[in-house]
Amino acid sequence: SGIFTNIVAKWPGSTHDSFISTDSVIGQQLQTQARTLEDGLLLGDSGYPCRPFLMTPYLNPSSAQQEAFNRAHTKTCVAIEQTFGWWKRRFHLLHSEIRMTPEKACILIGACTTLHNIAILRNEPMDGLDDTEDRPELTQYCGPEDGKAVRDYICDRFF
């Protein structure tokens, strides 16, 4: 629906999303508390490690099921990227460097998030919904990936 449910605004813009995720309260809870598939999962691009609670796409899909998983994953991630695009379009302040103290920048980002959510809830119109300009450059994660068994289970069971 385009609603933000959690935002961490304490790191500068050049900080990688996966670090912010790991450092956040939600990220720490997900890493330390056992979860089931019924609790839900997070989706991440190839810049994230595949974890039991964080699904990433197959880098080299080797079956029709893995390709179907990747298509569903991509389709869902597009909705997330669109939300960031709408948010940035609503508030031009978010398009570039915020030249204020970090404390003020955090307050403004939080305010923009709250106002965006209110606009979504009130069905405020959005002009210019081309989201291609806001897509970040992705880099591939290299490191331990202990969620591959969960991803394979999901792929085999649902695709």
Side-chain angles (χ1 to χ4, degrees), residues 57-58 61 63-78 159:
Y58 287 94
S63 70
Q65 289 173 300
Q66 290 179 0
E67 289 175 8
F69 175 92
N70 278 4
R71 279 192 304 277
H73 186 282
T74 299
K75 218 172 170 183
T76 305
C77 287
V78 164
F159 295 91

Side-chain angles (χ1 to χ4, degrees), residues 3 17 22 34 38 47 58 66 88 97 123 126 129 132 137 147 158:
I3 298 276
D17 294 348
T22 302
E38 290 78 25
Y58 287 94
Q66 290 179 0
K88 287 171 71 175
E97 178 182 344
N123 295 315
M126 267 309 289
L129 293 178
T132 56
E137 185 176 320
F158 300 103

Side-chain angles (χ1 to χ4, degrees), residues 9 92 105:
H92 190 71

